[in-house]
Amino acid sequence: MALVIAGERSGVGKTTVTLTLLASLRRRDRLVQSFKVGPDYIDPMFHQHVTGRACRNLDPVLTSEAYVQECFAHHSQLSEYALVEGVMGLFDGIGHREWGMGHGQEKQKSTDFASTAHIARLLDLPVVLVIDCSRLSGSVAAIAHGYRSFDPRIKIAGVVLNRVGSDRHLSLLKDSLEPLQLPILGTLRRQDNITIPDRHLGLVPTAELPELNALIDRLADLGDTCFDWQRLLPLLKSKPLPHPPHLPHPPSSSVRIAIARDRAFNFYYQDNLDLLQQLGAELVFWSPLEDAGIPKNVQGMYFGGGFPEVFAQQLAENSSVREAVKTAILKGMPTIAECGGLMYLCEQIIDFEGKSWPMAGVLPTSTMMGGRLTLGYRRAVALQDNLLVKANTTVYGHEFHRSHLTLTPTQPLFKTSRYDCEENMGCEGWGLPANVHASYVHLHWGESREIPQRFLKECLKVASSATWI
């Protein structure tokens, strides 16, 4: 057993409710494992800050339905309680296509694939529906009834009433819901002093919030009083294994991978990092913002996504690191650069104010920030053998950025299309030099172990030939 926190739509307070539950559980010294539906990186950062455990993404587009079930089963069994935060509205998903081997051999399967409801069905978990009550009273019953009856496979365990204005407001809501006999599992009043700041790509990451611990304390205080814990705790309880499984030691190897992780680069799926370690890599975390150089004796580099545009001046001023990165790559260092990492490898970043900041200069193009948001799942077919995949290999990823490149690659890595239709999204990705994989498309390797295997194979060649740094 575990619990899914869902919203009737985006913006109703799912993350606030989830963090409030997690903070209150941790204050009680409970061991809790959290999960996040979808490809998001930032919400899981908040989960991990509260629980002390890496949050796991549950995304059947980036992985598979089987992987979602296996991931949840494994990690939930290692904790006392388990909680899944949903994405968007409960039934908001995408059209899923089952691809055949030839032209025309595909069919539409569903319109709520990868939705919170889909994950709840896959894992057979009850759902708590968060409703924003700030602009309604009696209508709350129609909303709750509609969501409970829309898909009989979904078990709505109860509701959390968010942004309740007054005692009178709460009384009206309760009276309206009473005929449904649907438990009210929590009531959150309007909280002007509990606000998580956001910007152009969502919430501001945890590393940039010096007052975060104070915020979490306020959420824990709120959680202690606003939830019906007598009903909630049994729903949250997972089934821990009597003896946690023994994880095998990774095979010995001399491969050390420099992982850029700081305020500018922090978008990583924990499963990807785990896979590198399971395959024998030693992960060396470092900061292109703060450090004087690349870590010593590494044979590969991984630059995740993040917000290099926010810290462009500081990245530009650390010229010794920029030069070291460029030198290492031009000498053959295998390097993965996703989204923000790709931006860092460009000649410069042109920020929202039009100011230009020099970057590593590996790729003969510049990144320009803009108002247009590029967002969505991608079906990407490799156009050539490259650092991570062979030619004609199909991978599924996700794009989320407000920047574009001033020049496109002459020999792109991928031909991309939308995941849920045939719409061509163009060719993208840089694979020159050949030891670089630089792309806007974020990949989860959970169902594609050949990706980290291929990367580490190239790193081993470096390890056997020379010490680079």
Side-chain angles (χ1 to χ4, degrees):
M1 183 65 73
L3 198 58
V4 177
I5 303 298
E8 28 98 3
R9 54 191 161 86
S10 292
V12 300
K14 290 188 305 294
T15 299
T16 299
V17 170
T18 300
L19 293 177
T20 302
L21 283 165
L22 294 176
S24 192
L25 285 169
R26 287 300 297 142
R27 175 175 282 181
R28 300 161 186 240
D29 291 325
R30 305 293 190 178
L31 187 63
V32 56
Q33 175 65 56
S34 69
F35 302 85
K36 172 64 182 177
V37 178
D40 181 54
Y41 289 99
I42 299 179
D43 286 355
M45 294 181 195
F46 283 86
H47 290 206
Q48 181 170 350
H49 185 87
V50 175
T51 67
R53 300 172 66 87
C55 175
R56 307 287 168 164
N57 289 78
L58 303 176
D59 192 318
V61 175
L62 299 184
T63 58
S64 69
E65 292 179 319
Y67 185 87
V68 166
Q69 292 171 322
E70 293 164 7
C71 178
F72 178 81
H74 173 71
H75 292 288
S76 64
Q77 288 175 345
L78 302 177
S79 62
E80 299 175 81
Y81 297 93
L83 186 64
V84 180
E85 180 184 350
V87 62
M88 301 176 66
L90 176 57
F91 298 103
D92 295 331
I94 60 173
H96 178 61
R97 301 164 76 86
E98 188 174 75
W99 296 91
M101 297 300 293
H103 294 294
Q105 295 184 24
E106 65 213 35
K107 64 178 182 179
Q108 198 80 8
K109 288 183 68 177
S110 69
T111 57
D112 74 345
F113 191 84
S115 68
T116 305
H118 181 202
I119 300 303
R121 294 195 302 265
L122 275 179
L123 304 179
D124 192 23
L125 298 181
V127 171
V128 169
L129 185 68
V130 179
I131 302 177
D132 179 359
C133 302
S134 59
R135 292 177 176 84
L136 56 84
S137 57
S139 298
V140 69
I143 294 172
H145 173 69
Y147 275 82
R148 183 169 66 174
S149 60
F150 183 76
D151 184 346
R153 297 170 296 176
I154 301 298
K155 177 186 176 183
I156 304 293
V159 296
V160 169
L161 307 180
N162 193 26
R163 299 169 186 152
V164 175
S166 65
D167 290 343
R168 173 59 178 162
H169 187 199
L170 179 59
S171 178
L172 291 172
L173 295 169
K174 287 182 174 179
D175 289 347
S176 179
L177 288 168
E178 185 175 6
L180 300 182
Q181 297 184 327
L182 188 63
I184 298 173
L185 300 177
T187 302
L188 281 70
R189 302 296 181 111
R190 294 174 186 167
Q191 301 287 330
D192 294 334
N193 65 331
I194 298 180
T195 303
I196 304 174
D198 59 8
R199 59 174 174 233
H200 57 280
L201 290 182
L203 297 179
V204 175
T206 55
E208 299 180 49
L209 299 176
E211 302 299 322
L212 181 57
N213 287 334
L215 172 64
I216 298 304
D217 285 341
R218 293 198 296 274
L219 288 174
D221 292 340
L222 176 63
D224 289 345
T225 59
C226 73
F227 293 122
D228 184 343
W229 286 104
Q230 188 173 358
R231 284 175 164 171
L232 272 173
L233 281 177
L235 295 173
L236 289 161
K237 189 78 174 176
S238 61
K239 297 179 180 178
L241 296 176
H243 302 287
H246 174 71
L247 298 177
H249 293 290
S252 60
S253 96
S254 57
V255 175
R256 285 164 48 91
I257 308 298
I259 310 289
R261 188 165 70 179
D262 55 19
R263 289 170 297 156
F265 305 101
N266 44 39
F267 289 4
Y268 296 97
Y269 294 123
Q270 184 62 41
D271 290 12
N272 287 6
L273 302 180
D274 289 351
L275 275 171
L276 289 172
Q277 291 179 308
Q278 291 166 15
L279 293 169
E282 177 186 351
L283 306 186
V284 184
F285 296 99
W286 71 292
S287 171
L289 284 172
E290 306 288 348
D291 292 344
I294 298 172
K296 301 293 184 181
N297 190 28
V298 295
Q299 294 80 37
M301 294 189 293
Y302 186 1
F303 294 88
F307 292 99
E309 67 274 20
V310 175
F311 302 97
Q313 181 175 351
Q314 189 174 347
L315 289 169
E317 291 172 348
N318 197 348
S319 58
S320 61
V321 163
R322 290 191 290 108
E323 289 299 321
V325 167
K326 182 175 183 179
T327 298
I329 290 176
L330 294 182
K331 288 175 64 178
M333 179 82 72
T335 301
I336 301 172
E338 286 185 338
C339 200
L342 172 144
M343 296 165 65
Y344 183 63
L345 296 192
C346 291
E347 292 177 343
Q348 59 186 347
I349 289 177
I350 303 169
D351 65 21
F352 287 107
E353 298 177 352
K355 296 180 180 178
S356 299
W357 306 100
M359 293 292 118
V362 175
L363 307 178
T365 185
S366 296
T367 303
M368 181 172 290
M369 303 305 301
R372 180 175 177 271
L373 176 63
T374 300
L375 169 67
Y377 288 108
R378 300 290 180 259
R379 179 174 182 262
V381 180
L383 297 173
Q384 56 181 299
D385 287 351
N386 61 70
L387 181 65
L388 299 188
V389 295
K390 295 180 180 179
N392 300 315
T393 300
T394 298
V395 293
Y396 298 94
H398 189 263
E399 280 192 82
F400 189 33
H401 54 91
R402 290 191 184 273
S403 66
H404 67 273
L405 302 182
T406 56
L407 292 175
T408 55
T410 56
Q411 294 179 281
L413 295 179
F414 296 118
K415 178 182 179 181
T416 65
S417 61
R418 292 179 63 92
Y419 174 80
D420 54 349
C421 68
E422 290 283 9
E423 182 181 350
N424 181 13
M425 300 303 293
C427 296
E428 76 93 50
W430 293 76
L432 290 175
N435 54 297
V436 169
H437 180 102
S439 170
Y440 269 124
V441 179
H442 293 279
L443 299 176
H444 190 298
W445 307 336
E447 280 282 19
S448 306
R449 292 177 69 96
E450 64 274 10
I451 290 178
Q453 288 171 343
R454 189 176 176 91
F455 174 57
L456 292 180
K457 182 179 179 180
E458 294 302 312
C459 296
L460 275 171
K461 293 179 182 178
V462 173
S464 63
S465 62
T467 297
W468 285 79
I469 302 298

